[in-house]
Amino acid sequence: MKTGFIFLSLFLLASPHFTIGQSNFDIQLDTFSISGLPGIHSFAVARHEGKWLLIGGRRDGMHQKFNSFATSGGNQQIIVVDPESGEVWQRPLAELPDTLAEQLRSTNMEFFQQENLLCFVGGYGRSEVAQNHITYPYLTLIDVGGLVNSVVDGSPLPPHFQQVRDTFFAVTGAQLQVLSDTFFLVGGHRFEGVYSANSGDNQLQFYTNSIRKFTLESTGQGWQVAHKSIVLDELNLHRRDYNLAPQIFQNGERGLVAFAGVFQPGPAALPFQNIVEIGHTGHTPVNGFSQFLVNYHCAKVPVFDAVENEMHTLFFGGMSQYYLNETDSLIRDNRVPFVKTVSRVSRLADGSYTEVPFQTELPYYTGTSAEFVLAAGVPVLENDMIDYEALPDGNNLIGYIVGGIVTPSNQRNPFIANNVGITTANNRVIRVSLIKNMPNATAEPSLDGQFNLGVHVFPNPANEAWKVSLNLPEAGWVRFILQNAEGKIVRQTNLGQQPAGPVQHQIQVGDLLPGTYWLTVNLNGIFMETKTILSH
């Protein structure tokens, strides 16, 4: 879902430089159709013995600015697809109890498949039980293999579901992942009432600004939720409709990365460009790195190269504030249009990040609210990270891009143009192949997303005020955000438009309690965070 307003401006930024990454691979795409597969987007997907299980989401296109998300446009079926045989089976959600069926036809739910268990969290939609549009306060646990078999053979559906009611799970537009059996529900928001693009019309909307953690314990009769906790960060976790992916960090630790998303807190409601590393013990924004080419949730796949100690996350299309034009110049469009870009963000062996667009593009404007489904037999590590070293040289089928929203090439901003009726749910499938160790690799344009704002805070510790000096690499809008140790924003200061070069500002903090604070400087979406200490 999309709220806030977007500036209608266009900027030309510096051209990227060219480099060849250590992991030498390319991407190949081709499109095919499966008879009987409906168009779908914003759904949940699971796999069982080569078949796909599709639940929830929408059958219509992009939502309207007002009175959107009608039940009639929702996906009313549980769908099973065999991509090899081309067979499709469907069973109506009406065969299930009302509270279960309503959640399962929601949109922008969070989901994660752990072996045979599909965890289906929250989602937004029209509830006839509540007589309103709501974010569903449920965690639904699904026996994937049993449900797939029942959809195919016509046996009863209800035995394969367990639903837990808890407002802890009333979240939409977040992402769900697992680290060592602990579930991480990251970001998202809660939306109650009929959707409106005018935020003043919304009955209730608030961002979770958090990582919600929980575990599942088997009782012998089902599952129970345990060890719930919440980590708050009103700046870096104030994002939704974005991408979260598993990560192997430089030191071999397993974690997650929250990639760029929407929307930054504040009246401009611009997309994020910064990324956030998440581990068992906390989360850390990656200072000075900006991801340019993806903002909204899209199909993605993680790839780990153990030999080079590089972690790559591949992104396919979607919507983005930035894109490359025909001369490889980086264009900024604050309307956040649909793009065909295929890109990767790579964590290199030295711990730094880089962003590389592939020369291959999607065949049409799609990718937003699509899902990547692994092909059978692809070698993977935990959390479906592709094991690059286990792939043979040459062309490897790694998976499929399923669903998503499609817009015609002559209208890349249908929401802004109030013309979403021309968009559709994608009913074609894009086959994705990874070509390993290409013999004639050509230079790829690597975007220079590394920035240093020259932030210096003094005195630190301070009693009454901090003096902040910056050295801006480019002119732009500058904002200071101060958070306490609990992640709450306690002060914001807008300096407005500033020229490139040195900038100084004093922040009065004598009225705040002593303790540790985090000061973030935001220049045109570039984030730099500094630890500060206040002592009276």
Side-chain angles (χ1 to χ4, degrees):
M1 290 180 291
K2 187 173 182 177
T3 59
F5 57 88
I6 301 296
F7 292 111
L8 305 181
S9 52
L10 191 67
F11 298 90
L12 180 64
L13 300 185
S15 297
H17 65 271
F18 290 78
T19 184
I20 296 179
Q22 294 297 314
S23 300
N24 178 21
F25 65 89
D26 201 356
I27 294 297
Q28 178 178 300
L29 307 174
D30 67 277
T31 304
F32 67 100
S33 297
I34 297 176
S35 178
L37 177 65
I40 191 171
H41 66 84
S42 308
F43 59 100
V45 63
R47 310 187 315 274
H48 175 70
E49 296 181 350
K51 296 183 177 69
W52 308 337
L53 173 66
L54 313 180
I55 303 177
R58 306 287 302 176
R59 298 280 191 97
D60 51 10
M62 195 175 196
H63 63 80
Q64 302 278 351
K65 290 185 177 181
F66 306 98
N67 298 319
S68 289
F69 302 101
T71 300
S72 58
N75 175 29
Q76 310 286 339
Q77 306 288 323
I78 299 174
I79 305 167
V80 172
V81 181
D82 186 331
E84 292 300 318
S85 68
E87 295 175 279
V88 177
W89 300 266
Q90 300 190 46
R91 294 280 294 277
L93 290 171
E95 296 183 32
L96 298 171
D98 288 345
T99 56
L100 184 56
E102 285 190 347
Q103 186 201 12
L104 295 182
R105 68 169 180 246
S106 68
T107 186
N108 286 69
M109 73 298 293
E110 300 80 33
F111 66 93
F112 185 86
Q113 182 178 0
Q114 189 175 42
E115 298 179 350
N116 189 52
L117 185 69
L118 176 63
C119 299
F120 189 109
V121 173
Y124 174 79
R126 168 71 183 180
S127 168
E128 296 304 324
V129 174
Q131 287 295 294
N132 200 0
H133 281 68
I134 67 171
T135 299
Y136 290 94
Y138 298 111
L139 163 66
T140 295
L141 303 168
I142 303 170
D143 169 10
V144 175
L147 182 58
V148 166
N149 292 334
S150 288
V151 170
V152 172
D153 65 25
S155 58
L157 303 178
H160 308 301
F161 296 90
Q162 178 188 345
Q163 191 173 58
V164 177
R165 181 183 176 90
D166 188 336
T167 55
F168 184 86
F169 300 109
V171 182
T172 184
Q175 292 275 290
L176 184 65
Q177 280 282 342
V178 169
L179 291 177
S180 301
D181 294 326
T182 297
F183 288 84
F184 285 63
L185 180 60
V186 182
H189 64 143
R190 183 174 180 177
F191 199 104
E192 308 289 334
V194 179
Y195 172 81
S196 169
N198 180 1
S199 59
D201 295 339
N202 299 332
Q203 297 178 24
L204 174 66
Q205 181 193 23
F206 64 87
Y207 285 73
T208 70
N209 299 321
S210 68
I211 300 170
R212 299 185 177 192
K213 301 180 186 180
F214 64 96
T215 62
L216 293 175
E217 297 179 352
S218 176
T219 65
Q221 303 296 319
W223 298 92
Q224 67 180 14
V225 178
H227 305 108
K228 293 190 300 183
S229 64
I230 296 178
V231 176
L232 184 71
D233 185 334
E234 292 182 341
L235 175 60
N236 293 293
L237 300 178
H238 188 279
R239 65 185 74 199
R240 59 178 173 86
D241 302 336
Y242 72 106
N243 293 294
L244 179 75
Q247 182 82 189
I248 297 178
F249 295 118
Q250 178 188 15
N251 61 2
E253 290 184 4
R254 269 53 175 172
L256 309 169
V257 169
F259 292 93
V262 294
F263 291 102
Q264 295 179 36
L270 288 173
F272 281 95
Q273 292 169 228
N274 78 325
I275 66 175
V276 181
E277 295 181 338
I278 300 171
H280 289 284
T281 59
H283 66 281
T284 305
V286 178
N287 268 341
F289 174 76
S290 291
Q291 181 187 14
F292 289 111
L293 298 176
V294 178
N295 289 118
Y296 273 85
H297 168 249
C298 65
K300 61 186 179 295
V301 58
V303 179
F304 179 62
D305 182 347
V307 172
E308 298 292 345
N309 189 14
E310 293 184 346
M311 183 77 217
H312 310 285
T313 307
L314 282 55
F315 302 92
F316 299 91
M319 299 169 67
S320 178
Q321 188 182 14
Y322 292 86
Y323 61 91
L324 292 171
N325 67 6
E326 295 80 4
T327 62
D328 285 324
S329 294
L330 190 63
I331 304 297
R332 173 177 159 186
D333 185 344
N334 285 350
R335 297 170 297 181
V336 193
F338 279 73
V339 296
K340 296 191 290 186
T341 311
V342 179
S343 63
R344 76 184 193 217
V345 172
S346 300
R347 191 272 303 150
L348 304 181
D350 62 1
S352 65
Y353 287 84
T354 186
E355 184 177 26
V356 177
F358 290 94
Q359 294 182 359
T360 300
E361 290 187 327
L362 292 181
Y364 46 93
Y365 287 103
T366 188
T368 294
S369 300
E371 296 296 337
F372 183 88
V373 185
L374 275 172
V378 176
V380 294
L381 305 170
E382 65 269 31
N383 291 36
D384 284 343
M385 291 183 284
I386 293 178
D387 183 354
Y388 183 78
E389 285 309 306
L391 292 173
D393 288 352
N395 194 306
N396 296 270
L397 172 65
I398 60 171
Y400 308 87
I401 299 170
V402 179
I405 302 174
V406 179
T407 192
S409 59
N410 63 349
Q411 183 52 271
R412 295 175 57 196
N413 292 285
F415 187 83
I416 296 298
N418 201 25
N419 194 21
V420 298
I422 65 173
T423 66
T424 58
N426 191 17
N427 65 351
R428 290 175 285 179
V429 178
I430 301 176
R431 187 183 288 110
V432 181
S433 297
L434 185 151
I435 307 172
K436 180 179 176 181
N437 289 337
M438 297 173 58
N440 298 309
T442 58
E444 298 170 323
S446 175
L447 300 185
D448 188 3
Q450 300 290 339
F451 295 89
N452 188 345
L453 304 185
V455 180
H456 182 57
V457 180
F458 59 96
N460 190 14
N463 293 319
E464 298 294 331
W466 287 302
K467 294 180 180 179
V468 183
S469 64
L470 313 173
N471 189 12
L472 304 183
E474 63 183 35
W477 190 272
V478 176
R479 187 157 65 104
F480 294 124
I481 304 102
L482 188 66
Q483 296 173 269
N484 62 19
E486 288 74 44
K488 294 184 177 181
I489 295 176
V490 296
R491 186 145 300 163
Q492 298 188 63
T493 303
N494 292 317
L495 298 190
Q497 186 74 16
Q498 297 291 324
V503 172
Q504 291 193 347
H505 182 73
Q506 183 166 285
I507 302 177
Q508 297 293 334
V509 289
D511 60 321
L512 298 178
L513 294 174
T516 299
Y517 292 83
W518 296 93
L519 176 66
T520 298
V521 180
N522 180 351
L523 168 67
N524 296 333
I526 302 167
F527 282 55
M528 291 287 292
E529 184 180 81
T530 301
K531 181 179 179 179
T532 56
I533 298 175
L534 178 61
S535 59
H536 294 314

